[in-house]
Amino acid sequence: MDSPQSEVSGAAIRAEGFGLKGPRGWVFRGVSVDAAPGSLVAVTGPSGSGRTCLLLALTGRMKPAEGWARVDEHQLPRAMAAVRRISALAQVPGVSELDPALTVAEHLRERVMLKRRYDGSVRALLRSPARRRAEAKALIDQALAGAGFDLAALPKRERTAVRDLERLEALRLTVALALIQRPRLLAVDDTDMKLADGERTAAWALLRSLADAGTTVLAVCAEAPAGADTTVTTTEAGAEDGATSEKGAADACATTGSA
């Protein structure tokens, strides 16, 4: 069965002088990006330098304060809603976190239901229950394959609770949930955090495979992998700008809005 990415054309990303400001000052500023469709883009920088907020801004979830950016043909901030429709988030704290009390299957079913509710046509809603179940299963199977997430390897297969997943397994699940949306742009936060060397290699191999299949991937990391097509570095805002690193980023999230 083909991966959901086999029919996806990634979105190009261009930005110049891109900046985001919160009530305490600049979260990040002066960021430039030039990424072709299907690129693997590593986003690096010190903790508190606005890496997560950059992901949210480039996916239309936060409103920038200066500079310009374009995702595919959509100009930011004018077309934030359009960028949200073609992008998806994986593993972003406070925005797309997994619920540790839910099982893997519950997360997958919920995401399919949300996709059907917000993206489905009226004709799709009128299909028979059996056909809708078959389509949902096919979509989930494709997303799991794209994320390299083998349910058979879990202790209780799809009934395994999220709290029982290893770090790399949780990353694969969040990616699978994002792939259900068939995004042209996938943003992944804290890609290599708390991963052993072998797990880190596997995580980057996964994201590389998604980019090679057509999806543009933005990935926050402590250290850019050798296989990244583009590296974007954020720098911590100085005291003269009034930012307080992570606190400034948190305030910006609260005031500029997310979706």
Side-chain angles (χ1 to χ4, degrees):
M1 180 178 293
D2 291 338
S3 160
Q5 277 55 60
S6 62
E7 302 174 0
V8 170
S9 173
I13 305 174
R14 304 283 186 271
E16 190 70 38
F18 202 50
L20 177 72
K21 193 173 187 180
R24 293 174 179 265
W26 291 99
V27 178
F28 66 81
R29 69 185 312 189
V31 172
S32 296
V33 184
D34 186 359
S39 294
L40 174 56
V41 183
V43 180
T44 66
S47 178
S49 62
R51 298 173 305 180
T52 300
C53 289
L54 177 59
L55 291 192
L56 295 175
L58 288 174
T59 55
R61 272 79 176 176
M62 298 184 75
K63 187 176 182 180
E66 71 174 8
W68 64 270
R70 184 179 297 109
V71 179
D72 200 32
E73 74 275 14
H74 308 301
Q75 188 84 20
L76 293 171
R78 186 173 63 247
M80 291 173 64
V83 173
R84 288 197 297 272
R85 285 194 292 270
I86 65 170
S87 63
L89 306 176
Q91 189 172 267
V92 179
V95 181
S96 61
E97 291 177 303
L98 298 173
D99 186 334
L102 295 182
T103 66
V104 171
E106 288 169 335
H107 272 290
L108 293 167
R109 285 197 298 268
E110 179 184 55
R111 187 59 60 92
V112 169
M113 189 166 56
L114 288 173
K115 175 178 173 56
R116 182 181 296 146
R117 177 177 179 182
Y118 293 107
D119 297 339
S121 64
V122 174
R123 180 177 297 179
L125 295 174
L126 296 176
R127 291 170 183 160
S128 69
R131 184 173 178 183
R132 290 202 301 269
R133 286 194 297 270
E135 291 174 345
K137 183 180 184 304
L139 185 58
I140 289 173
D141 288 345
Q142 291 171 353
L144 291 172
F149 193 28
D150 183 9
L151 298 184
L154 300 178
K156 297 181 180 178
R157 295 179 63 89
E158 69 272 12
R159 293 182 292 107
T160 301
V162 164
R163 66 168 66 92
D164 296 326
L165 296 177
E166 299 293 336
R167 174 77 183 179
L168 182 58
E169 291 170 340
L171 173 63
R172 291 188 186 278
L173 175 57
T174 63
V175 169
L177 294 173
L179 294 182
I180 286 174
Q181 298 174 234
R182 297 182 179 269
R184 298 179 60 196
L185 171 61
L186 171 66
V188 186
D189 200 10
D190 293 334
T191 300
D192 52 6
M193 189 174 73
K194 297 182 181 179
L195 293 180
D197 290 344
E199 293 172 327
R200 188 177 298 111
T201 298
W204 284 115
L206 163 62
L207 299 185
R208 179 73 265 173
S209 71
L210 295 176
D212 288 344
T215 302
T216 303
V217 179
L218 281 171
V220 165
C221 55
E223 183 177 352
D229 297 307
T230 304
T231 299
V232 178
T233 302
T234 57
T235 56
E236 190 168 349
E240 68 275 10
D241 290 322
T244 58
S245 61
E246 293 183 0
K247 178 60 177 174
D251 288 342
C253 285
T255 58
T256 58
S258 62

